[in-house]
Structures are given as structure tokens and as C-alpha cells.
Amino acid sequence: MSTQYSDLQLDALRELANIGSGTASTALSSMLGRAVDISVPKARVLPFADAVEATGPPESEVTGIVLGVTGELIATVLLLVQPADAGRLVSILGVDPGDELAASALGEIGNVVGTSYLNALARMTGIEMEPTPPATATDMLGAIVESVLAGHAVGGDVALLLDSALEVEGEDCSVSFVLVPDHGGVDLLLSRLGLG
């Protein structure tokens, strides 16, 4: 059975997500040289099994950009991008979506967005966290999410799911952020916010 969080705690996690996303959108805007807006419509704390389903249809093809997190908070950040949106993003950087450099360009976008996001969380909570270099894979959504979660599947553990809609100068690009803290990570975030 997963831990239940109060509305106040979920609101605090949502606010962390909003501030983190704002920082990430500013960094991505600088990188792309275009206006970028990221909104965070929802923040959910879910048991791992539900988190896989909540990210979308398991058989849909997506590109996943994975960053490990080390330090005081051990976690994984997973950014999920639809193939058409991934193509749009790398095209903005001047890379042909069919080129072998496309995966590297997408990894760098994930690195900038994920690192900015984590830096904002670190500043707000005082928790030391360091991202590892990104890995990029295109596969069925269920396979990518399950492989990331498998490394964290301690009984009763939860994933913090942050769904972000990302818009680049009027072009809709859908990016989902999934932050998967190791055992006790969500509680650590909340305790540093005075809501443990």
C-alpha cells in the first residue's frame, strides 16, 4: 500500500514542480533561441504500477531521456517525448530528425531541461542532487517506464509524476516529466519544505 499524502503536501509538490518547470523552460528557451512555455497541470504521487499507466498508453512509441540523480536525493528523471515532437525539437536546433545526431541533440535538450529542473529543486529544498549524463531511447512507453521504475521498485514505493505540457513558440510539443525518487525521497522533499 502506498503512502497517502495530504492535499497540502501535494500542493507543495505541485509548487515545486511549477518552479522547477519555470526554470527549465527558461533554460530551454536560451538553448533554442525561442520562446518556451512549460505549464504543470498536475503533480501526482502514485504507486509504481499506476505510474506506468498514468504516463499514457503502454504500447505507444515515445522517446525517453533518462537522467540519474545522485547525492542526498537518489532518483531518476525521465522525460518522455512523442516522436513527432522530438523531431520538431531537434529541427529547431538545426539537426535533421533522421540524422544520427538527432538522439544526441535530444539527449542534450533533456540534459538542459532535467538539470535546470533539478537545480531549482535543490535550491528550494537545500537537498544536494547531481544529475548523471542523459541516456536516450525510443521504444514503447510501457517498456521505457518499466525499465526505469524497475531500479526503484521497493515494495510500497511511489513515483512522483509531473506531467508538463511544453510549447515552443506556438508549436505544441508534449513532454512528460517523471521524477522517481528512491525509497523515502518524496518524504525527504516534503520534510525539507517543513511538511514532513
Side-chain angles (χ1 to χ4, degrees), residues 47-78:
F48 283 150
D50 297 342
V52 174
E53 288 178 18
T55 53
E59 66 287 346
S60 63
E61 186 181 292
V62 297
T63 297
I65 307 158
V66 182
L67 288 86
V69 183
T70 61
E72 239 182 311
L73 179 74
I74 307 296
T76 301
V77 173
L78 173 62

Side-chain angles (χ1 to χ4, degrees), residues 1-56:
M1 186 68 190
S2 75
T3 309
Q4 294 300 305
Y5 293 95
S6 70
D7 287 345
L8 183 65
Q9 289 173 320
L10 289 173
D11 282 346
L13 292 170
R14 214 169 276 124
E15 188 52 27
L16 272 183
N18 274 315
I19 295 169
S21 294
T23 305
S25 85
T26 302
L28 187 59
S29 178
S30 297
M31 180 183 192
L32 299 176
R34 303 214 179 175
V36 174
D37 188 44
I38 301 181
S39 63
V40 180
K42 47 191 176 266
R44 291 173 287 175
V45 180
L46 299 169
F48 283 150
D50 297 342
V52 174
E53 288 178 18
T55 53

